Each structure stands twice: as C-alpha cells, then as structure tokens.
Amino acid sequence: MDAHQLVVDFLNTVDVETGTDLLGDARTWERWCSGHQLGAGDRAQAALLRDGLRTVVAGGTWSAPGVLTVPVSAQPDGVMVYGRHAAEAVLTAAVSLTATGSWSRLKLCPADDCRQAFYDRSHNRSRVWCEMADCGNRAKVRRYRARHPTTGPSDPSPEAGRPETV
Ligand SMILES: [Zn+2]
C-alpha cells in the first residue's frame, strides 16, 4: 500500500459525518489493522497519533496531551520501512511523505460535517474539498442561500401554481 493511502485511511478511522470511530472499539480497530496487514499495537497510542496527525494536516499544531512512543524505521530517500504495528507503519509513512515532499498533499475536507482526509493529486495542490461533487457543491449551495435568503426555487411552469413557500 502506498504511504499516502495508508495515512489517509488511518486519518479516516474517525468519521465525523456518522460519528463513528474505529479506534474507539478494540474489535473495529483490530479489523481495520488486519485489513491493512498490520498489528493493532497500543490503541491509545494509535488514537493519540491519529488525532495529532489530523490536527497537523488541518494546519493546526500538535498539542496532544500525552507522550507518543512509537519506534520508527525509515530511510530518508522515501523508501518505506513498514513497522509491525499500525502506529509504527503510519508514522513511517508520514516520515516518508515528508521526506519526498508530499506531506502537504494530505488534507482534511473543510466541511464541518465531513472532515474526510484525502490526498491532493492536483498539479498545483489546489484541491480543497474531498469531493467537489459532494462537499464542494454543498458549500456552494450554502453560500448561495446565505446571500439570497428569500430566493426560493423559480417555478418554470406558471400553470402549476406557486410552489410551497419555503
Ligand atoms: Zn468533504
């Protein structure tokens, strides 16, 4: 698995939209790890790492209340050296992405009800939304409604009468 895909998958073990957290339960976390051919390791450490990385990817500062102790083996030329456990592998992948200059392509969708992590493959790294067709358009609609609060949908057929007032 590519380094960026592993990190994106790991960051998305929490789903803001549905309120689910795969790291919140030992069984769902172990299922995620075995699906990625990794050992679960210390779940609390993994949660600390995930929340810290999400903060950093969102442009914030890591201020996790605790000490993260994860042994990492990485080569500065970007060659992946996977750890046995999820947190090791993710941190290794993060180091690898940093070393290859790709870290800044990791982003969190700015939609408050989404916050999905994604990898920006665009040429100039300008992608903002996880999916323009989804969150990007919803934000556009919200901005439009904020600017035009009294404008309802126009009725193309006068004989159908006025649509219900919104
Ligand atoms: Zn989104």
Side-chain angles (χ1 to χ4, degrees), residues 23 43-53 62 64-69:
L23 266 159
R43 190 157 54 95
Q45 292 270 290
L48 201 62
L49 176 62
R50 185 205 51 203
D51 295 345
L53 287 181
W62 188 311
V67 178
L68 181 68
T69 313

Side-chain angles (χ1 to χ4, degrees), residues 17 108-111 113-116 118 128-131 134-136 138:
E17 192 173 7
L108 286 193
C109 177
D113 55 351
C114 177
R115 309 297 285 163
Q116 280 267 326
F118 64 92
V128 174
W129 309 97
C130 64
E131 295 288 344
D134 188 0
C135 290
R138 279 193 292 142

